[in-house]
Amino acid sequence: MKILLVEDDPSTRRVLQMLLEQRGHEVVACESAEEAETALSDQVIRFLILDWMLPGKTGIELCRQVRAQANGDEFFILLVTARSEPEDLRKALEAGANDYLIKPFTADWLNVRLAVADRHVREIEERTASRVALRASARMGVSVLENTTEGFFALDSEWKCIYVNPKAEEFFGCSREEIVGKNFWAKFPDFGGSIFEKNCRRIAAENLPLEFEATNASGTSCFEVHAHPNNGDIFLFVRDITERKRTEEERLKTSKLESLGTLAGGIAHDLNNILTVISGNLGLAQLEAPDETRTILPFLTKAGAAAQHAAGLSGQLLTFAKGGAPQKRVVSISDLVKKASELSLYGSNLSARADIARDLWPAEVDANQIEQVINALVLNAREAMPSGGSLRITVVNIELPESRDSRLPAGRYIKFSLADEGRGVAPEVSAKIFDPYYTTKASGSGLGLSIGYSVIRKHGGLLELESSSPTGSIFTFYLPASESVAETVETPQSDRVLQFARQRILVMDDDPGVRDLTSHLLGTLGFQVTSVPDGLEAVRVYEKALHRGERFDAVVLDATVRGGMGGVAAIERLRGVDPEVTAVICSGYSDESALAQFSAYGFRGSLPKPFTRHELAEALRRAMSKARVIDAPGKPVLTP
């Protein structure tokens, strides 16, 4: 071991140094206390042998000085002197010496003292190493607590804050200087009586760790708390889970809508097939009614209107259907909002003020579905203000940064807000208002807001209750803006000009009633119709006709065929046979994204079920007009 020897007598110093080195020790020899101080500042030496009497500062004074340092207990000091009185020994021990060696001494006495010193020095070195490690660990712990993404604070047994890290400052909304040393419940009275206080007091009483969720004093943020007792204190780690909770709620809403959609989609598909037959036959009855029975036309018209209303309800069910895609086109949101608002407010006792940005961006949407959302929000506001009131509609452009809301990616959006003057939405109700079939109204269906929520999510946006108070609520939805220019809506032509000069058409539908009706309707439009029950048969018949030189001018394909080939698979086969095939996708089930994005699948038009004779003719007219533009001249086209 390394020993610092401080002896002013040269001969004694040389003898001691020799004896020590013979025993394998490294010796740093000094002749004064001042030299010893310099040596101690430059080197780590745990064992000091000090002569009592030194020139200048004495060995006793140097001993006291060493012991007075912050690390003074990290040394073993052997005091060497000619004094042998008990009082001298007491003074040496009081000054901080560990042992005492009286001059003159023999080598045996020195060996005994060195053996004692060696054991103590090893203990000192072990203790010092542990202390250094503990200090380093403490520094690291403080560094971790200061820089962690979790909030951390500690309360003592008297409920005073004894430590607060920067993240906890954010949690409390004030600096640590304002918190540390203060009684927690006096500083934050809003926490009184909360789940936070109850759990803290339980930890103190039962001395057990707890994990729980709590909100900040204002209730705007939710936190996950991990609390641990520690010798009468309580250590608390808090993590902001506001965004996670919001995401979980969104996921739960989506899951509920998808579960309902599985059932709703199947029901609506079958219902639409039935409604197609009803609506189509009513239209045929109106068309074929002889002059002497024209008095029945008003009744047929009413029946047709009822069938269309039923089709609207079926469309609402399809909104829930899993995977169903809106039939989008780029529109002017300004025109859409004005039209939908006016229709929704017609006949009500509400006044409305609209603030719509003049430079509103266009958006690619299903106009009918967005009108449905606006109608649901206005109807909700009307029911919230039965005695009348005022609505404020605001539509603006907004660019969302990445950090704004994890539920919406960064980008350009159109923000629609509707503010009413009703009594607001109770907190316990606000979490459920978008759930299917949840309603607080005796006559409500509980579908309006949930349908709206589903529609906006399928458009890549977000519908939410932005705020609510006893003086009113604000509902808001966001729609992604489009870079494209709004499309011009075609004005439908009358049935009189939608006559087809004996053009050949192939119809595929697995439902016999729909297949027969579609064939009959097409016959009244002038088509020569061939009908088949599934995609395989459609491909076979088309290919056979093509080889005979009797190419079909158009094909109508049902998207879904139970147990057989549907329209999406069939169009791939048909395009392999004839790349210029003119096909229209037809479906009563929104599981087929081909209905909305028909061009991407190789179709030239789409036709949702149920449809009327006029809608069927319009779909074919548009599809065949595209074929006329795209394909080579000379193909059969429409004739007026």
Side-chain angles (χ1 to χ4, degrees):
M1 77 186 141
K2 184 182 285 190
I3 301 173
L4 177 64
L5 172 62
V6 187
E7 171 61 61
D8 62 329
D9 181 66
S11 60
T12 304
R13 185 169 66 248
R14 281 195 299 271
V15 171
L16 275 172
Q17 183 172 357
M18 180 186 66
L19 291 172
L20 293 170
E21 288 177 345
Q22 286 177 349
R23 287 160 177 77
H25 300 297
E26 180 185 348
V27 181
V28 178
C30 302
E31 61 179 320
S32 67
E34 289 74 20
E35 285 185 23
E37 289 172 351
T38 301
L40 288 173
S41 66
D42 294 338
Q43 305 175 61
V44 176
I45 305 175
R46 301 299 178 196
F47 184 13
L48 281 59
I49 299 178
L50 306 179
D51 185 21
W52 185 310
M53 297 304 296
L54 293 170
K57 188 180 295 182
T58 66
I60 283 285
E61 291 173 334
L62 179 58
C63 183
R64 290 194 186 98
Q65 179 180 322
V66 169
R67 293 300 188 201
Q69 297 174 172
N71 63 337
D73 62 344
E74 297 177 2
F75 300 91
F76 184 89
I77 301 176
L78 173 63
L79 201 62
V80 181
T81 181
R83 300 182 180 190
S84 59
E85 296 296 325
E87 181 63 23
D88 295 325
L89 178 60
R90 183 183 63 78
K91 287 181 180 179
L93 296 176
E94 286 180 350
N98 297 95
D99 204 351
Y100 192 90
L101 184 62
I102 300 173
K103 297 177 181 179
F105 53 82
T106 65
D108 290 340
W109 274 107
L110 179 60
N111 288 338
V112 171
R113 293 296 186 265
L114 289 176
V116 172
D118 184 66
R119 185 177 70 252
H120 282 278
V121 168
R122 292 183 188 281
E123 291 175 355
I124 287 170
E125 288 176 341
E126 290 174 2
R127 185 171 67 245
T128 301
S130 298
R131 184 179 296 169
V132 169
L134 184 61
R135 288 171 181 167
S137 176
R139 285 193 298 271
M140 182 179 294
V142 171
S143 177
V144 169
L145 290 176
E146 285 292 300
N147 296 289
T148 181
T149 56
E150 292 186 357
F152 172 80
F153 61 100
L155 305 176
D156 66 12
S157 58
E158 297 179 351
W159 301 111
K160 291 181 181 178
C161 281
I162 55 177
Y163 178 80
V164 178
N165 78 347
K167 278 293 179 181
E169 289 179 307
E170 295 178 17
F171 174 73
F172 292 123
C174 51
S175 67
R176 68 180 74 188
E177 289 77 14
E178 300 175 78
I179 305 172
V180 173
K182 306 290 177 58
N183 181 279
F184 183 82
W185 311 118
K187 178 65 180 177
F188 302 104
D190 289 342
F191 281 111
S194 68
I195 188 70
F196 187 86
E197 181 186 11
K198 291 176 182 176
N199 282 323
C200 283
R201 295 194 181 277
R202 183 183 172 192
I203 293 166
E206 302 178 19
N207 195 38
L208 51 77
L210 283 181
E211 297 179 11
F212 57 93
E213 293 181 3
T215 60
N216 60 358
S218 62
T220 56
S221 299
C222 186
F223 288 85
E224 185 177 69
V225 182
H226 294 253
H228 308 270
N230 184 67
N231 297 323
D233 300 333
I234 300 177
F235 293 169
L236 300 106
F237 293 87
V238 292
R239 177 183 298 166
D240 191 338
I241 58 170
T242 307
E243 202 58 46
R244 190 186 81 189
K245 296 288 285 185
R246 188 179 295 170
T247 302
E248 288 174 355
E249 290 172 2
E250 294 294 322
R251 189 180 296 116
L252 181 60
K253 289 175 188 174
T254 302
S255 176
K256 290 177 180 178
L257 291 173
E258 288 181 352
S259 297
L260 180 60
T262 303
L263 174 64
I267 293 173
H269 174 258
D270 292 342
L271 179 60
N272 280 337
N273 278 343
I274 296 169
L275 288 172
T276 298
V277 176
I278 293 173
S279 298
N281 280 294
L282 286 171
L284 287 174
Q286 290 174 290
L287 189 67
E288 300 295 337
D291 293 339
E292 61 270 18
T293 60
R294 289 291 172 178
T295 54
I296 67 171
L297 288 179
F299 302 107
L300 294 174
T301 301
K302 289 180 180 179
Q308 288 301 309
H309 181 66
L313 294 177
S314 175
Q316 292 186 26
L317 285 176
L318 284 174
T319 304
F320 287 119
K322 182 179 179 181
Q327 299 181 56
K328 298 179 182 179
R329 61 183 177 85
V330 180
V331 302
S332 165
I333 293 295
S334 176
D335 294 342
L336 179 61
V337 169
K338 289 175 183 176
K339 175 187 174 185
S341 302
E342 289 173 1
L343 290 174
S344 301
L345 288 168
Y346 182 78
S348 73
N349 57 353
L350 304 180
S351 61
R353 180 167 62 87
D355 183 10
I356 302 175
R358 291 181 179 274
D359 58 344
L360 207 61
W361 297 322
E364 188 176 5
V365 300
D366 185 319
N368 291 330
Q369 288 190 1
I370 298 303
E371 286 184 18
Q372 186 179 337
V373 176
I374 296 172
N375 179 66
L377 293 177
V378 173
L379 181 60
N380 190 66
R382 289 175 64 169
E383 292 173 343
M385 298 184 290
S387 301
S390 177
L391 285 180
R392 188 175 78 255
I393 297 172
T394 306
V395 191
V396 296
N397 297 326
I398 185 171
E399 290 200 41
L400 299 182
E402 194 68 50
S403 60
R404 187 265 177 191
D405 193 328
S406 65
R407 296 172 297 171
L408 283 176
R412 303 195 321 156
Y413 291 85
I414 298 155
K415 179 182 179 182
F416 173 99
S417 298
L418 187 145
D420 63 47
E421 296 177 341
R423 292 174 294 179
V425 181
E428 63 273 14
V429 173
S430 62
K432 303 176 183 179
I433 56 176
F434 296 113
D435 289 354
Y437 298 113
Y438 178 81
T439 181
T440 57
K441 307 172 184 70
S443 59
S445 66
L447 283 176
L449 291 178
S450 55
I451 286 174
Y453 181 87
S454 180
V455 164
I456 299 301
R457 288 302 290 175
K458 288 180 180 179
H459 279 77
L462 173 69
L463 169 62
E464 64 181 353
L465 174 61
E466 184 175 290
S467 66
S468 184
S469 70
T471 59
S473 302
I474 301 178
F475 281 87
T476 296
F477 66 75
Y478 298 83
L479 290 172
S482 173
E483 299 292 340
S484 304
V485 179
E487 298 176 11
T488 304
V489 180
E490 289 186 73
T491 303
Q493 300 184 24
S494 65
D495 284 350
R496 184 170 51 84
V497 298
L498 294 175
Q499 293 295 319
F500 300 84
R502 300 190 63 76
Q503 295 177 41
R504 302 184 72 251
I505 191 165
L506 176 63
V507 175
M508 184 275 283
D509 199 297
D510 64 329
D511 188 297
V514 175
R515 189 167 64 246
D516 292 344
L517 171 71
T518 306
S519 299
H520 200 146
L521 290 174
L522 291 170
T524 66
L525 293 170
F527 280 105
Q528 291 182 344
V529 185
T530 301
S531 64
V532 293
D534 60 45
L536 277 176
E537 184 67 10
V539 173
R540 190 188 68 78
V541 170
Y542 191 96
E543 187 173 12
K544 187 176 180 180
L546 192 64
H547 288 161
R548 291 199 309 265
E550 298 174 351
R551 184 173 182 270
F552 285 101
D553 298 291
V555 182
V556 178
L557 299 173
D558 187 19
T560 306
V561 174
R562 290 172 179 166
M565 179 186 287
V568 175
I571 189 62
E572 293 183 9
R573 301 276 291 272
L574 287 173
R575 285 177 65 82
V577 173
D578 179 10
E580 297 181 355
V581 60
T582 298
V584 173
I585 182 79
C586 181
S587 179
Y589 191 35
S590 67
D591 238 356
E592 300 297 341
S593 58
L595 197 64
Q597 302 169 11
F598 57 85
S599 296
Y601 287 83
F603 295 98
R604 286 182 175 159
S606 65
L607 180 64
K609 296 177 183 178
F611 53 81
T612 63
R613 176 175 180 269
H614 180 77
E615 289 166 344
L616 174 62
E618 268 292 315
L620 286 167
R621 183 186 67 79
R622 288 193 296 267
M624 295 174 75
S625 295
K626 290 179 182 178
R628 180 180 57 186
V629 172
I630 296 171
D631 298 339
K635 285 188 62 180
V637 296
L638 302 179
T639 57

